Amino acid sequence: MAQGTATASEPAHLTINGERLWAALMELARIGAYDDPATGLAGVNRQSLTGEDAEGRRLLVRWMEEAGLQVSVDEMGTIFGRREGAAAGLAPVMAGSHVDSVGTAGAFDGCLGVLGALEVVRSLNERGIVTRRPLVIAAFTEEEGVRFGTDMLGSAVAAGRLTLEYAYDLVDAAGLRFGDELERIGFKGERPVRLDPPHAYVECHIEQGPVLLHEDLAIGVVTGVQAISWQRITVQGRAAHAGTTPTDLRVDAGLAAAQIVLKVREMVDSGRYGRLRATVGLITTSPGLPSVVPDRAELTVDLRNPDDAHMAAAERDLAAFLDALPESQPAPGLGIDTQRMAKTHQVPFDERIQDEIAAAAADLGFDTIRLMSGAGHDAQEMAAITPTAMVFVRGQYDGISHNPREYSTPEDCTAGITVLAHTLLRLTEEEDD
Ligand code: HGY
Ligand code: MN
Ligand code: MN
């Protein structure tokens, strides 16, 4: 990049301010912070459209404005910060992620990608570098999906997989409607939600798994995202006295729930579904009293698979199991209801963008490997409308995430965002096809 408005053909060796990046991550992590009893650490609970999320959003908007970005908010509440380029008419290069969190989060999931892109802008500003193409930072709404039940929600609407109406009518566990909550926190924006395809999209994210740590690498180039299937299962039984009711007269919703948990684990262990992963994250029974046979149970089943055919087989066989479950009970009357929450296919990332990331990393002296993402990301939605790939940063403690122990070092975060910066600088120089 050149100083001033001229642009050079070769990206300069742009360094970022790792301390400023780390300070921003830690400051944002204080919003929604809580004392986590299980780990004794400070966790982060900044679920989408809560007061904490709104506070984090306002901080991000202030930082974006202070960095001279033109800030806009779309109809889903996604926040964009635009930095003009020398050739303003060209499609921008976009980088981003999300700042909403699960209820037991650390400081890095999503935030590294958004605050890292902001750090790139701050560093460009300090050197007076004007990129050829505009740069846009995106903080997508409800990436986690843990409050309104569908992950990558904001980016899925922006890229066209889901509709605004569908999103607005989603409700949380308390029956609060997404569209109303967006209005309540003041982030129901005017910007039309359907995104004009940027020139490219690159997302930097903590790996959230153990691969880079075990390979002793700080940086990974992400080849794609595995398929995701979420469903909510409601089991209807019959409340009865725990002492007087003979087993063969019971319609026990708690028993059925336990059988479902065991079934998904048996499916994983069977090897019949490739590299299937299954998680029953939520399981509740009611009335939840020691002397009452449960009359109702609710579970969520999260299935992940890098292969769409194996995922389809797993969903099909689980559905067959649920259909047959009532007959297998000691007494008739068990009811099973399933509700689809989220469903995404395996998404491959753009090879050329992967190569740009790998080349930027190599220029900076980082060895990398290519790996598929076990977690879902906004990048998988953006891949539908523009060439997209991701930079992974090593996580510590076996890469644990969705847990307050989630951690990456300042050095690795700086490395990841430096690779992001150089990848973006390469892409902003590109002509139109
Ligand atoms: O569910 C996921 O993999 C992501 O964290 N939303
Ligand atoms: Mn994430
Ligand atoms: Mn996450």
Side-chain angles (χ1 to χ4, degrees):
M1 288 306 103
Q3 308 289 342
T5 52
T7 56
S9 57
E10 284 304 309
H13 183 86
L14 176 76
T15 54
I16 63 140
N17 183 328
E19 283 172 22
R20 181 171 55 198
L21 167 64
W22 190 260
L25 284 165
M26 295 305 113
E27 184 170 348
L28 182 55
R30 280 193 284 277
I31 298 175
Y34 72 98
D35 292 330
D36 183 73
T39 59
L41 299 171
V44 176
N45 181 2
R46 205 171 47 241
Q47 296 183 51
S48 64
L49 311 191
T50 57
E52 293 77 11
D53 181 33
E55 189 184 341
R57 286 162 165 269
R58 288 191 292 270
L59 177 62
L60 176 63
V61 167
R62 177 162 63 84
W63 280 345
M64 284 181 164
E65 287 169 343
E66 287 167 357
L69 295 177
Q70 183 193 340
V71 178
S72 59
V73 178
D74 77 8
E75 296 162 296
M76 277 294 292
T78 291
I79 300 166
F80 296 91
R82 181 185 173 99
R83 183 177 197 265
E84 278 313 335
L90 291 180
V93 172
M94 191 178 282
S97 192
H98 61 94
V99 292
D100 66 295
S101 80
V102 294
T104 53
F108 303 89
D109 180 351
C111 302
L112 178 60
V114 175
L115 299 183
L118 177 66
E119 175 51 39
V120 173
V121 166
R122 286 169 163 171
S123 298
L124 290 172
N125 290 346
E126 276 171 342
R127 288 162 189 73
I129 292 176
V130 179
T131 55
R132 184 155 183 276
R133 289 178 176 273
L135 264 181
V136 172
I137 300 175
F140 289 104
T141 296
E142 182 63 320
E143 187 279 344
E144 294 294 2
V146 292
R147 183 177 174 195
F148 292 96
T150 298
D151 57 357
M152 284 72 71
L153 185 61
S155 48
V157 178
R161 178 169 64 85
L162 297 174
T163 66
L164 196 59
E165 294 67 31
Y166 167 83
Y168 277 7
D169 286 340
L170 289 172
V171 293
D172 69 2
L176 295 173
R177 185 174 162 275
F178 179 95
D180 300 337
E181 285 295 277
L182 195 59
E183 195 121 41
R184 181 182 66 82
I185 67 163
F187 275 89
K188 187 175 182 183
E190 303 289 315
R191 176 183 167 138
V193 70
R194 286 302 299 274
L195 257 184
D196 292 331
H199 176 66
Y201 176 82
V202 187
E203 179 167 350
C204 181
H205 205 288
I206 189 169
E207 178 203 335
Q208 301 179 291
V211 174
L212 292 178
L213 188 67
H214 293 176
E215 295 287 336
D216 195 20
L217 292 171
I219 305 292
V221 180
V222 188
T223 59
V225 178
Q226 64 178 340
I228 301 173
S229 162
W230 287 4
Q231 57 183 308
R232 180 178 286 111
I233 301 172
T234 305
V235 183
Q236 194 59 52
R238 188 172 57 231
H241 194 297
T244 58
T245 312
T247 302
D248 60 356
L249 295 182
R250 293 182 178 211
V251 187
D252 184 340
L255 170 68
Q259 289 169 318
I260 294 168
V261 175
L262 289 172
K263 174 62 182 174
V264 295
R265 172 48 73 92
E266 180 273 325
M267 289 171 68
V268 169
D269 294 345
S270 73
R272 292 192 304 272
Y273 310 95
R275 288 160 41 206
L276 176 69
R277 288 177 178 161
T279 309
V280 176
L282 175 137
I283 180 166
T284 60
T285 59
S286 72
L289 302 172
S291 61
V292 183
V293 174
D295 69 337
R296 182 180 161 83
E298 189 172 311
L299 311 87
T300 57
V301 175
D302 174 320
L303 303 177
R304 306 284 173 120
N305 203 306
D307 178 284
D308 285 331
H310 279 140
M311 175 65 96
E315 289 181 314
R316 181 198 61 227
D317 292 356
L318 178 55
F321 172 80
L322 295 174
D323 281 347
L325 198 52
E327 274 74 66
S328 68
Q329 301 302 305
L334 191 80
I336 301 272
D337 178 60
T338 60
Q339 182 208 352
R340 159 76 62 207
M341 295 166 70
K343 170 81 183 155
T344 56
H345 291 286
Q346 190 275 340
V347 175
F349 285 150
D350 183 276
E351 297 270 351
R352 189 179 70 78
I353 308 296
Q354 290 180 49
D355 293 344
E356 291 290 351
I357 295 169
D363 283 353
L364 293 159
F366 294 110
D367 292 333
T368 57
I369 55 164
R370 305 222 177 177
L371 70 166
M372 176 175 277
S373 174
H377 298 287
D378 293 307
Q380 70 185 79
E381 302 300 333
M382 291 301 290
I385 60 169
T386 188
T388 294
M390 293 180 73
V391 183
F392 264 179
V393 168
R394 174 170 45 193
Q396 300 297 320
Y397 312 122
D398 279 339
I400 189 168
S401 183
H402 287 187
N403 182 294
R405 295 189 69 226
E406 177 190 72
Y407 186 78
S408 184
T409 63
E411 295 73 25
D412 285 354
C413 288
T414 301
I417 299 306
T418 305
V419 170
L420 175 70
H422 280 251
T423 306
L424 295 176
L425 286 175
R426 285 164 167 268
L427 295 171
T428 53
E429 280 304 291
E430 288 182 340
E431 300 290 339
D432 275 340
D433 298 337

